[in-house]
């Protein structure tokens, strides 16, 4: 670029500073201060007492926290199947000549992902409701009335039950992501594959999946990140219940701080959540990357 | 040999097989799409029933349309106030996000300066941070600095947490604009700032529109930070107000549903008015991001 168009150093700073300032204030400063508070016992009053690593020692022994962590993990697995997996299938369908009303499917299935998570959670609380729920009503219509339940009170499958609304809301988004990735695949490659006799399932497995790997990887990482940070749906649907059966890490940190007023411990939990989440994202990025290169370098 | 066998079976019963496959694929898609829209339609028509009518049969259509539920829901939720708060917070946030993302994205795409790489990585980090882990520390920070419970409170986290992706989108879009345009502007004697805002910004309108629409949804729907940063009832946004409404009046289902429909209305109108644009924008963002 020509010299006349170079801004001075001061102008550069002036333009970039507002963004960096607001971003740092809400992202970096809280992380640093949480790190500091995590060494204190603090209930929000003026008195803070330094307790060293005690909060972290407590986290190591905190069954509810680790249970919540496992729930995040379980939700991630359900998410990978219910969001990335199904979305991939739907995207393949939507690319096939056989499927009709493509625009309609795309438009309607993306709509739920534009709604507030809190509203989705209320809607599904109604769907799962014992007396007034669509789910039990549907079972009644199918003559399966004996299966009717107060669904959100079941502690056994509760994580699956709260994962379904999450998937339902997000499938449309992942489908679009896949469609974008898949339509970038060279059409000629697919035609050659078809001429070679690869159709339907074989075409999907041997040709499309390897070519779509970058898209699948991005979608999987996004899905992992989103499920590790899940909060609103659980907060509004079950509040972590019954008992702590559906608790997730962010909700547990919220409860600890805002219901039990343990800000020091809550801050330590925030640091732990951050560390665990980043670790999992990095590990899965590494694993997916490695898998890709051992598969013969198709990218 | 194997190949020939496969082709032969294809030839033997191609029509029947293809028809069956077509039926299954279309069936699955139709079923899924129906499952996406039916619960929302159910919400819509149930909100027009009386409570007695609803508990009598939860699935049937309303006999007479009862708009009273809406009148009550508007009163009980104080919907005008909630909407005003949401509109204010969302509008200011979206404008600031678009402006900051445009400037930052433009600098990243076009200029070399000290610390550029570090800045990009720093913004990318925002995509990885589990923001809900920050609820507690952000609350403490806002309480200590006295920033909680004002009309502008939510603008700060909404802008900050929604910068990363837009910056990426803008910078990859600007990279695609020919550099000769800026050179021509320089020859015509335009300053750096005027070139950026008056020549390049209009050219980047498509990506800025995409960013604005997507961030509109993100800000309008946000709940967690509103929950922890606002104690004052007069500052509540629509999702936050709805959560209080739900916990206080959840026995009258049609009324609750009317409230939910009202809270979904702006996003629904926005979505169906611009759906093709939104979908194209998301797909473009997916490829570039």
């Amino acid at each position: 670029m020509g010299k006349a168009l170079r801004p001075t150093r001061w102008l550069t700073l002036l333009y970039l500073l507002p963004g960096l300032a607001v971003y740092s204030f809400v992202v970096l400063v809280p992380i640093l201060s949480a790190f500091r508070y995590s060494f204190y016992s603090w209930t929000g009053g003026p008195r803070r007492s330094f307790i060293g690593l005690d909060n972290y020692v407590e986290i190591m022994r905190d069954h509810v926290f680790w249970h919540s962590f496992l729930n995040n993990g379980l939700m991630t697995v359900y998410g990978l199947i219910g969001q990335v997996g199904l979305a991939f299938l739907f995207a393949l369908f939507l690319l096939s000549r056989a499927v009709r009303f493509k625009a309609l499917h795309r438009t309607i299935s993306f709509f739920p992902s534009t709604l507030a998570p809190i509203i989705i959670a209320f809607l599904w609380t109604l769907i799962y409701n014992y007396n007034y729920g669509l789910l039990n009503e549907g079972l009644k219509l199918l003559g399966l009335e004996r299966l009717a339940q107060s669904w959100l009170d079941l502690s056994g499958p509760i994580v699956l039950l709260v994962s379904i609304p999450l998937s339902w809301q997000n499938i449309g988004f992942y489908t679009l992501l896949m469609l974008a990735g898949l339509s970038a695949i060279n059409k000629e490659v697919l035609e050659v594959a078809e001429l070679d006799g690869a159709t339907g399932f074989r075409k999907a497995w041997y040709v499309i999946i390897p070519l779509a790997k970058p898209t699948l990887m991005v979608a999987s990482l996004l899905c992992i990140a989103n499920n590790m940070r899940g909060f609103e749906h659980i907060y509004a649907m079950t509040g972590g219940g019954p008992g702590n059966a559906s608790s997730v890490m962010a909700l547990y940190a919220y409860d600890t701080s805002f219901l039990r007023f343990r800000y020091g411990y809550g801050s330590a939990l925030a640091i732990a959540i951050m560390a665990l989440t980043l670790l999992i994202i990095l590990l899965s990025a590494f694993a997916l990357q490695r898998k890709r290169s051992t598969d013969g370098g198709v990218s | 040999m194997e190949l020939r066998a496969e082709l032969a079976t294809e030839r033997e019963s191609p029509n029947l097989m293809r028809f069956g496959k077509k039926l299954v694929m279309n069936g699955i898609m139709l079923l899924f799409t129906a499952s996406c829209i039916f619960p929302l339609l159910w919400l819509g028509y149930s909100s027009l029933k009386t409570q007695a009518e609803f508990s009598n049969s939860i699935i049937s259509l309303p006999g007479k349309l009862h708009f009273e539920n809406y009148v009550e829901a508007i009163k009980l939720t104080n919907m005008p106030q909630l909407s005003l708060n949401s509109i204010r917070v969302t509008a200011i946030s979206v404008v600031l996000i678009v402006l900051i993302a445009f400037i930052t994205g433009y600098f990243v795409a076009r200029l070399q300066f000290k610390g550029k790489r570090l800045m990009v990585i720093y913004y990318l980090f925002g995509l990885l941070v589990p923001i809900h882990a920050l609820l507690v520390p952000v609350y403490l920070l806002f309480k200590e600095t006295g920033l909680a419970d004002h009309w502008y409170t939510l603008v700060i986290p909404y802008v900050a947490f929604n910068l990363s992706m837009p910056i990426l989108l803008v910078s990859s879009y600007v990279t695609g604009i020919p550099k000769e345009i800026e050179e021509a502007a320089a020859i015509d004697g335009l300053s750096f700032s005027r070139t950026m805002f008056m020549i390049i910004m209009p050219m980047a309108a498509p990506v800025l529109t995409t960013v604005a629409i997507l961030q509109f949804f993100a800000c309008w729907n946000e709940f967690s930070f509103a929950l922890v940063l606002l104690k004052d009832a007069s500052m509540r946004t629509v999702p936050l107000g709805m959560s209080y409404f739900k916990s206080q009046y959840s026995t009258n289902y049609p009324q609750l549903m009317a409230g939910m429909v009202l809270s979904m209305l702006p996003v629904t109108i926005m979505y169906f008015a611009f759906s093709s644009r939104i979908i194209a924008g998301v797909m473009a963002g997916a490829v570039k991001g």
Side-chain angles (χ1 to χ4, degrees):
Chain A
M1 200 183 289
K3 215 170 178 190
L5 283 174
R6 292 206 139 275
T8 61
R9 195 178 287 188
W10 284 110
L11 195 61
T12 305
L13 204 64
L14 196 71
Y15 274 128
L16 296 180
L17 208 56
L20 285 168
V22 67
Y23 179 79
S24 303
F25 183 71
V26 185
V27 179
L28 191 66
V29 175
I31 293 176
L32 295 177
S33 63
F35 190 65
R36 190 162 69 90
Y37 295 145
S38 72
F39 299 111
Y40 289 86
S41 168
W42 182 29
T43 51
R47 246 164 32 93
R48 267 202 301 256
S49 49
F50 185 81
I51 54 168
L53 288 170
D54 283 6
N55 281 328
Y56 290 100
V57 174
E58 188 180 342
I59 288 177
M60 297 306 267
R61 298 193 192 128
D62 189 336
H63 296 297
V64 182
F65 175 73
W66 291 106
H67 179 71
S68 308
F69 173 68
L70 283 181
N71 280 347
N72 278 114
L74 202 55
M75 282 173 64
T76 305
V77 174
Y78 291 137
L80 285 172
I81 301 167
Q83 294 170 39
V84 181
L86 278 183
F88 184 63
L89 188 72
F90 291 162
L92 287 182
F93 285 1
L94 288 178
L95 284 171
S96 139
R97 260 160 296 165
V99 171
R100 316 197 46 186
F101 312 116
K102 290 182 177 147
L104 179 84
H105 290 310
R106 250 188 350 205
T107 309
I108 302 285
S109 69
F110 186 68
F111 177 51
S113 67
T114 62
L115 296 174
I118 194 94
I119 294 296
I120 299 289
F122 291 164
L123 173 64
W124 278 82
T125 312
L126 282 173
I127 291 175
Y128 284 140
N129 184 289
Y130 181 73
N131 291 310
Y132 307 109
L134 274 182
L135 185 55
N136 285 345
E137 189 71 13
L139 289 171
K140 218 191 287 177
L141 287 176
L142 293 170
L144 296 166
E145 208 167 345
R146 68 206 151 77
L147 290 179
Q149 312 270 356
S150 177
W151 294 93
L152 291 176
D153 292 330
L154 298 174
S155 55
I158 188 71
V159 180
L160 175 64
L161 290 170
V162 294
S163 296
I164 292 172
L166 263 161
S167 291
W168 180 80
Q169 174 166 28
N170 292 316
I171 284 181
F173 169 76
Y174 286 100
T175 306
L176 286 191
L177 202 82
M178 303 283 177
L179 276 174
L182 290 177
S183 43
I185 291 176
N186 194 337
K187 293 274 176 309
E188 282 167 27
V189 177
L190 295 183
E191 274 165 29
V192 169
E194 249 168 275
L195 285 177
D196 284 346
T199 52
F201 181 75
R202 287 162 66 97
K203 185 169 86 176
W205 187 256
Y206 291 109
V207 186
I208 297 179
I209 288 186
L211 288 175
K213 217 153 236 180
T215 310
L216 283 170
M217 200 173 102
V218 169
S220 303
L221 285 176
L222 211 60
C223 183
I224 292 167
N226 283 337
N227 280 290
M228 292 307 287
R229 73 174 85 160
F231 173 79
E232 282 141 311
H233 293 86
I234 309 282
Y235 172 88
M237 266 191 287
T238 65
N244 289 313
S246 64
S247 180
V248 287
M249 292 189 291
L251 184 64
Y252 183 58
Y254 173 86
D255 283 349
T256 304
S257 307
F258 297 108
L259 302 182
R260 289 190 280 281
F261 302 104
R262 299 188 59 196
Y263 292 114
Y265 192 54
S267 300
L269 285 171
I271 296 294
I273 295 170
M274 203 123 32
L276 284 169
T277 305
L278 292 178
L279 185 74
I280 291 203
I281 293 175
L282 288 178
L283 281 178
S284 34
F286 182 69
L288 288 166
Q289 196 78 43
R290 233 179 67 133
K291 203 159 160 258
R292 202 172 81 185
S293 57
T294 52
D295 276 356
V298 185
S299 59
Chain B
M1 200 56 210
E2 221 180 271
L3 184 66
R4 204 169 297 156
E6 172 117 357
L7 286 174
T9 51
E10 279 267 320
R11 218 173 291 139
E12 267 164 35
S13 57
N15 288 332
L16 200 67
M17 257 182 67
R18 231 173 258 165
F19 180 72
K21 222 157 65 179
K22 225 166 146 173
L23 204 68
V24 170
M25 281 161 81
N26 276 293
I28 290 176
M29 279 322 292
L30 284 171
L31 213 64
F32 177 68
T33 299
S35 87
C36 281
I37 199 73
F38 179 70
L40 298 163
L41 294 175
W42 175 66
L43 209 60
Y45 72 70
S46 300
S47 67
L48 296 167
K49 290 173 163 180
T50 62
Q51 195 171 8
E53 213 180 338
F54 180 71
S55 33
N56 213 5
S57 160
I58 66 147
I59 209 155
S60 65
L61 292 166
K64 211 174 134 261
L65 304 185
H66 291 271
F67 289 99
E68 308 85 275
N69 292 327
Y70 281 87
V71 179
E72 274 304 294
I74 289 173
K75 249 196 291 179
L76 291 173
T77 52
N78 199 3
M79 196 51 88
Q81 176 80 58
L82 298 180
S83 310
L84 204 69
N85 292 339
S86 272
I87 290 170
R88 184 167 53 193
V89 165
T90 305
I92 299 173
S93 303
V94 168
V95 168
L96 289 176
I97 292 167
V98 168
L99 199 64
I100 296 175
F102 171 70
I103 295 172
T104 311
Y106 180 75
F107 271 76
V108 169
R110 279 292 200 260
L111 297 157
Q112 290 308 324
F113 52 90
K114 242 191 193 160
K116 180 171 119 171
R117 244 181 82 81
L118 194 70
M119 187 181 86
V120 172
I121 293 170
Y122 185 47
Y123 276 120
L124 276 175
F125 178 66
L127 291 175
L128 291 181
V129 166
I131 55 171
H132 291 131
L134 291 177
L135 284 177
V136 180
V138 168
Y139 163 77
L140 294 173
L141 178 68
F142 273 60
K143 211 177 79 161
E144 270 177 24
T145 48
L147 285 170
D149 261 334
H150 297 289
W151 63 268
Y152 56 79
T153 297
L154 292 176
V155 172
I156 305 166
Y158 288 5
V159 170
F161 286 121
N162 290 312
L163 280 179
S164 306
M165 199 45 141
I167 288 174
L168 282 185
L169 288 178
V170 171
S171 78
S172 81
Y173 190 89
V174 171
T175 309
I177 298 176
K179 279 185 184 167
E180 284 76 17
I181 288 168
E182 278 116 315
E183 276 156 21
I187 292 164
D188 286 350
L190 243 64
S191 70
F192 171 79
S193 298
R194 286 173 79 98
T195 309
M196 178 166 74
F197 287 118
M198 294 171 71
I199 311 284
I200 305 299
M201 202 170 178
M203 292 186 75
V207 73
L208 298 181
T209 314
T210 302
V211 166
I213 293 171
L214 293 181
Q215 299 318 318
F216 163 80
F217 288 117
C219 297
W220 185 273
N221 291 336
E222 207 283 334
F223 172 74
S224 314
F225 284 97
L227 174 70
V228 298
L229 296 180
L230 301 177
K231 293 284 164 275
D232 187 344
S234 68
M235 298 297 164
R236 281 175 194 164
T237 55
V238 173
L240 186 63
M242 278 309 298
S243 80
Y244 286 99
F245 177 59
K246 196 214 164 214
S247 52
Q248 280 168 44
Y249 306 99
S250 62
T251 43
N252 189 333
Y253 286 93
Q255 215 173 72
L256 170 66
M257 289 162 143
M260 287 165 70
V261 171
L262 280 174
S263 79
M264 284 162 41
L265 218 52
V267 214
T268 310
I269 294 171
M270 181 92 172
Y271 180 71
F272 285 104
F274 300 107
S275 66
S276 56
R277 220 202 149 109
I278 293 169
I279 286 173
V282 174
M283 286 180 72
V287 172
K288 287 190 182 121

